[in-house]
Amino acid sequence: MSDSAITIYVISDSIGETGELIAKASVKQFETDDFEIKRYPYHNTSAEIEPILQDASKHPNSLIVYTNVVAETSAYIEKKGKELGLKTVDVMKEPMARIEEIVGYPPRREPGLIRRLDENYFKKVEAIEFAVKYDDGKDPRGAKKADICLIGISRTSKTPLSMYLAHKLYKVANIPLVPEVPVPKEVYQKDVRRVIGLTCNPEKLISIREARLKSLGLSGSAKYADLGRIKEELSYSKQIMEELGCIVIDVSDRAMEETAGIIIDYVESNK
């Protein structure tokens, strides 16, 4: 680095990624490779920041780029920078000010919010992928790995509930209960507080199953939509749920959001 090199100090109360990207994008607009970018993440007190500013003041071609959103911290950098004759850029100030004018209320000024949002996004994607992978008993091992394991006979809203809960960041596996098929051992090994039984009244199930058959171009008189068969399945599922000792939710007259709310409240209260 030459004596005329540009030294950009990126200060942030989070990881400093935004400030560094803006610094790189800006300096690349000039025909020079004679620059250095120094990043200082998780700096949000005057005690942490002052030595950086003092060091910058020793270099004639230095620039302070900062993304600190706490008002006291950004004010300190601006004030101390002026005292030391430093050039400073508050990356967040103008965009936040303009947005505040539009929405009519002040920003939260909490460090690292974008990072937390990104983490939630990836957790959501992971939960959705989990729900798809372990839907409808495809792999019963998912029951042990899941935050929530839904059990119930066909058409008791297991799959849509799994997807809805996945959007709430819960990893959900669902296992169909069929009289002719043994319940996977993983369900019995699961913490019963994480097992949710779903049931529905026979009349409601008949209409749902008939509609499903029609959508597949099949006859509504199939055994799948037979009242006797449905009662047999419900009796079997009741027996399994009693054996497990799990909570049972009747989804007959409930919106999916309401059922999901009951499940979330139950799971969270039993953590």
Side-chain angles (χ1 to χ4, degrees):
M1 299 290 291
S2 68
D3 292 340
S4 61
I6 302 166
T7 306
I8 303 176
Y9 296 76
V10 177
I11 304 172
S12 176
D13 47 24
S14 186
I15 62 173
E17 210 170 47
T18 302
E20 184 175 14
L21 283 170
I22 288 172
K24 283 181 179 177
S26 299
V27 78
K28 282 296 183 181
Q29 293 296 315
F30 299 88
E31 294 179 358
T32 178
D33 292 320
D34 198 10
F35 67 90
E36 180 183 10
I37 296 176
K38 298 181 177 182
R39 188 164 86 179
Y40 298 89
Y42 303 109
H43 282 61
N44 204 30
T45 67
S46 56
E48 293 169 329
I49 293 168
E50 183 175 12
I52 301 168
L53 301 181
Q54 292 289 354
D55 182 65
S57 69
K58 298 172 186 175
H59 301 277
N61 299 318
S62 62
L63 171 66
I64 307 297
V65 174
Y66 61 100
T67 59
N68 301 68
V69 295
V70 175
E72 293 80 3
T73 309
S74 57
Y76 169 78
I77 294 172
E78 193 66 28
K79 179 174 178 291
K80 192 69 179 177
K82 284 179 180 177
E83 288 177 9
L84 295 171
L86 294 169
K87 296 177 178 65
T88 62
V89 178
D90 185 344
V91 171
M92 305 296 286
K93 183 178 180 180
E94 286 301 313
M96 286 199 304
R98 300 293 80 79
I99 293 170
E100 183 176 349
E101 288 172 5
I102 294 168
V103 300
Y105 57 86
R108 291 161 65 176
R109 294 195 176 276
E110 293 179 30
L113 280 180
I114 191 169
R115 194 71 180 173
R116 274 177 265 166
L117 287 171
D118 286 348
E119 285 171 3
N120 279 347
Y121 171 77
F122 289 113
K123 283 179 182 176
K124 185 185 291 187
V125 170
E126 188 179 355
I128 292 169
E129 289 175 346
F130 187 97
V132 171
K133 183 176 181 179
Y134 297 111
D135 180 44
D136 204 32
K138 288 176 187 171
D139 183 347
R141 291 174 298 180
K144 290 186 73 173
K145 302 175 186 177
D147 300 320
I148 299 168
C149 178
L150 303 178
I151 61 171
I153 67 173
S154 177
R155 315 318 292 177
T156 49
S157 301
K158 297 186 301 300
T159 296
L161 272 169
S162 295
M163 297 307 297
Y164 185 92
L165 291 165
H167 279 82
K168 300 293 183 182
L169 310 184
Y170 293 94
K171 292 180 179 177
V172 184
N174 74 75
I175 305 290
L177 298 180
V178 183
E180 295 78 14
V181 180
V183 179
K185 65 181 185 300
E186 288 84 358
V187 176
Y188 287 98
Q189 294 166 351
K190 185 79 176 169
D191 181 346
V192 72
R193 295 171 299 177
R194 297 288 178 269
V195 180
I196 310 294
L198 302 174
T199 190
C200 186
N201 70 52
E203 293 73 22
K204 181 82 171 179
L205 276 172
I206 286 174
S207 63
I208 294 171
R209 289 190 177 188
E210 284 178 344
R212 176 60 176 163
L213 288 171
K214 286 178 184 176
S215 72
L216 297 172
L218 300 172
S219 169
S221 61
K223 189 178 179 183
Y224 180 69
D226 177 72
L227 180 59
R229 172 62 183 182
I230 288 173
K231 286 183 177 179
E232 179 189 350
E233 290 181 33
L234 286 170
S235 176
Y236 172 73
S237 69
K238 181 181 179 184
Q239 175 192 330
I240 297 300
M241 292 169 195
E242 287 176 350
E243 283 179 12
L244 290 166
C246 66
I247 184 177
V248 179
I249 302 173
D250 189 334
V251 301
S252 303
D253 299 309
R254 285 194 171 98
M256 184 175 61
E257 294 82 0
E258 183 185 357
T259 304
I262 294 169
I263 293 170
I264 291 169
D265 289 345
Y266 174 77
V267 169
E268 292 300 318
S269 67
N270 283 284
K271 272 190 171 179

